[in-house]
Amino acid sequence: MLLPQDISSSWKEFLSKDILDKLHDIEIRIGYDYTPVIDKIMRFLSVDLDKASVCIIGQDVYYQPGVATGRAFEVNDLYSWNSKFRQVSLKNILRLIHKSYRGITDYEEIKKYSDILNEIENGSFPILTPDKWFDSLEEQGVIFLNSSLTCMINKPNSHKDVWKDFSIQLINYMSLKRPDLIWFLWGNEAISKRQYIPNGIFFESRHPMLCSRTYDNDFLKSSCFKETMNIINWLG
């Protein structure tokens, strides 16, 4: 079964017979050649929805073997920001957090990732290491949710249609149960989900994968972190 071991009681109403039947059908459809590993697919169920503050919606899971963790944007086995990794989205997330905490308003003054690494190294930008950072934010009430919870290894978006209906039911339930939830919708896929979210506070932008000042809704122009510092410590 796709369900994790440590399900929060806050999801009890969501896990109806209809949903469980749907998950059984999904499990059959995804087969065996998928990522992430089975016990991480629905790890969001371990987060207490009643205490959640922010839901970040990503798109597809990382399709490379061993990279996806079940949390949107998290890179498996990444223990230092200085380690080499290819996922640009996570690097730009760090850049926007840095911009927000430094009070930078001019796009041209946004630091390059390499410059931020120097500040992390010398202790002037005290953000937790990536593995501890995701844990801390989840403990503070941040849900990292992908639109598609699995994909075939090395075949991005291969399970998009498989998860579509479930994803719609999920976010609709979350919005009805927690009308005060803050939603970070990054990229067209995530933004397209807004029609199924009747309640909430929304921050929409382009996906963090590709940033440029020429985009009006560029990710690095978003105020999502700046305007939620009072409820989430984005440094971890």
Side-chain angles (χ1 to χ4, degrees), residues 121-213:
E121 187 70 23
N122 65 33
S124 62
F125 187 61
I127 192 168
L128 289 180
T129 56
D131 54 325
K132 295 178 180 178
W133 183 77
F134 277 92
D135 286 343
S136 173
L137 294 189
E138 198 169 78
E139 290 170 3
Q140 292 182 63
V142 179
I143 298 177
F144 295 91
L145 186 67
N146 279 306
S147 298
S148 298
L149 299 182
T150 61
C151 73
M152 293 178 66
I153 294 174
N154 292 323
K155 293 185 178 180
N157 278 316
S158 50
H159 290 164
K160 181 178 180 179
D161 292 338
V162 175
W163 287 102
K164 182 178 179 181
D165 289 343
F166 175 84
S167 179
I168 290 171
Q169 285 184 267
L170 171 62
I171 59 177
N172 182 260
Y173 172 83
M174 293 171 63
S175 176
L176 292 174
K177 186 173 175 65
R178 290 296 313 279
D180 57 337
L181 199 62
I182 300 170
W183 299 82
F184 291 0
L185 307 180
W186 299 341
N188 291 334
E189 180 66 32
I191 292 172
S192 71
K193 297 291 192 295
R194 180 166 180 174
Q195 61 185 307
Y196 308 112
I197 307 174
N199 308 299
I201 300 168
F202 301 91
F203 291 89
E204 300 179 14
S205 71
R206 288 178 61 91
H207 196 274
M209 182 170 57
L210 182 63
C211 297
S212 170
R213 71 172 302 160

Side-chain angles (χ1 to χ4, degrees), residues 1-18:
M1 192 62 174
L2 301 179
L3 298 177
Q5 297 274 337
D6 54 342
I7 301 174
S8 167
S9 59
S10 60
W11 296 97
K12 183 177 180 180
E13 292 178 16
F14 174 68
L15 296 173
S16 63
K17 184 180 183 302
D18 174 63

